[in-house]
């Protein structure tokens, strides 16, 4: 049976924690309407100064979705900082693949080219967190151990 082999080692957990710190720093300002207004103005100014384009004017729907995204990402980041696990890296890598997909879609549809900066980081952390996971054709069929000890994912508690 093929099973997903969990990456082991402190280096992988440092990558998981580093991606969490990046998320916390970058998205904390999105978590409230007041801080998002400041982040929006700063990003728009930077985009104009760099010739990459400004963000659209603020509206209540944009603010709501920015706040929802910021709140969820902040909580997810704190979890990965406080208790980084290999599985958190796997799920974060999948989430970054989704984020990068929708960022690429937005870029293809004319949003500010400032998004390229964030897209590059999403792809980089996604690759760093997904690449170490491997399919193991010779997985331990007895099912002893669990993901935290380097055994195949899905064998914990058996």
């Amino acid at each position: 049976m093929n099973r997903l082999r969990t990456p082991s080692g402190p280096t992988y957990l440092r990558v998981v924690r580093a991606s969490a710190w990046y998320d916390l720093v970058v998205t904390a300002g999105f978590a409230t309407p007041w801080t998002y207004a400041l982040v929006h103005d700063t990003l728009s100014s930077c985009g104009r100064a760099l010739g990459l384009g400004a963000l659209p004017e603020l509206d209540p729907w944009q603010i709501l979705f920015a706040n929802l995204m910021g709140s969820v990402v902040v909580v997810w980041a704190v979890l990965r900082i406080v208790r980084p696990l290999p599985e958190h890296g796997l799920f974060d890598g999948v989430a970054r693949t989704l984020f990068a997909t929708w960022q690429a879609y937005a870029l293809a549809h004319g949003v500010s080219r400032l998004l390229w900066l964030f897209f590059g980081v999403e792809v980089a952390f996604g690759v760093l967190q997904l690449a170490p996971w491997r399919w193991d054709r010779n997985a331990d069929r007895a099912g002893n151990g669990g993901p935290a000890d380097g055994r195949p994912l899905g064998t914990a508690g058996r």
Side-chain angles (χ1 to χ4, degrees), residues 57-73:
E57 291 300 315
L58 285 174
D59 69 55
W61 280 105
Q62 180 191 138
I63 294 168
L64 171 64
F65 283 106
N67 296 159
L68 293 172
M69 183 272 306
S71 298
V72 170
V73 173

Side-chain angles (χ1 to χ4, degrees), residues 119-136:
F119 176 79
V121 176
E122 291 299 321
V123 170
F125 272 127
V127 168
L128 288 171
Q129 291 181 111
L130 291 176
W133 290 83
R134 303 272 192 276
W135 287 104
D136 186 358

Side-chain angles (χ1 to χ4, degrees), residues 26-44 54-71 118:
V26 169
T27 60
F30 286 75
T32 73
W34 309 279
T35 54
Y36 179 61
L38 296 172
V39 169
H40 179 276
D41 291 347
T42 301
L43 287 174
S44 285
L55 301 180
E57 291 300 315
L58 285 174
D59 69 55
W61 280 105
Q62 180 191 138
I63 294 168
L64 171 64
F65 283 106
N67 296 159
L68 293 172
M69 183 272 306
S71 298
F118 299 98

Side-chain angles (χ1 to χ4, degrees), residues 76-97:
W76 175 237
V78 170
L79 171 68
R80 290 177 291 134
I81 290 167
V82 172
R83 186 175 164 99
L85 296 173
E87 293 81 3
H88 294 161
L90 173 64
F91 288 111
D92 193 60
V94 171
R96 288 183 188 281
T97 300

Side-chain angles (χ1 to χ4, degrees), residues 90-123:
L90 173 64
F91 288 111
D92 193 60
V94 171
R96 288 183 188 281
T97 300
L98 291 169
F99 269 58
T101 299
W102 307 136
Q103 288 173 344
Y105 178 86
L107 286 162
H109 289 85
V111 300
S112 169
R113 292 173 291 148
L114 190 61
L115 187 57
W116 279 107
L117 303 173
F118 299 98
F119 176 79
V121 176
E122 291 299 321
V123 170

